[in-house]
Amino acid sequence: MSFQELATAANKDRFNLRNIPVAVLLEGKFNSLYTNRLGIAMRDSLNAINMPFVPQSPDNKMIVVSDGDIALMPLPVMKAPCRWA
């Protein structure tokens, strides 16, 4: 992924359409957000049904789809770098 496009200002006149679907294909190994949050009871429940917790996926592909309003959503102010990025 490249963020080089962010170095130049976008022409706002080119972004005047509404309700345009946006999609991105993500590929790779994905870490679970539950890696450091899984409680003992949940881990025991998973083990009881012979389904151990998997902290990282195998090589995988994921499609994320949204409308263009996703770019308008406010992001929380991060005081530290994302651990999962």
Side-chain angles (χ1 to χ4, degrees), residues 7-24:
T8 58
N11 181 351
K12 292 183 182 181
D13 294 333
R14 295 183 66 201
F15 299 96
N16 57 4
L17 300 176
R18 297 179 151 269
N19 302 320
I20 303 296
V22 176
V24 64

Side-chain angles (χ1 to χ4, degrees), residues 8-51:
T8 58
N11 181 351
K12 292 183 182 181
D13 294 333
R14 295 183 66 201
F15 299 96
N16 57 4
L17 300 176
R18 297 179 151 269
N19 302 320
I20 303 296
V22 176
V24 64
L25 172 65
L26 305 173
E27 297 179 284
K29 295 179 180 178
F30 301 99
N31 294 324
S32 172
L33 291 177
Y34 294 100
T35 296
N36 296 315
R37 300 178 185 165
L38 193 67
I40 294 171
M42 179 58 83
R43 189 177 304 268
D44 290 345
S45 296
L46 288 171
N47 288 335
I49 59 172
N50 200 25
M51 198 172 199

Side-chain angles (χ1 to χ4, degrees), residues 57-70:
S57 74
D59 279 330
N60 206 334
K61 295 180 182 179
M62 182 184 329
I63 296 176
V64 180
V65 180
S66 177
D67 64 9
D69 286 346
I70 194 169

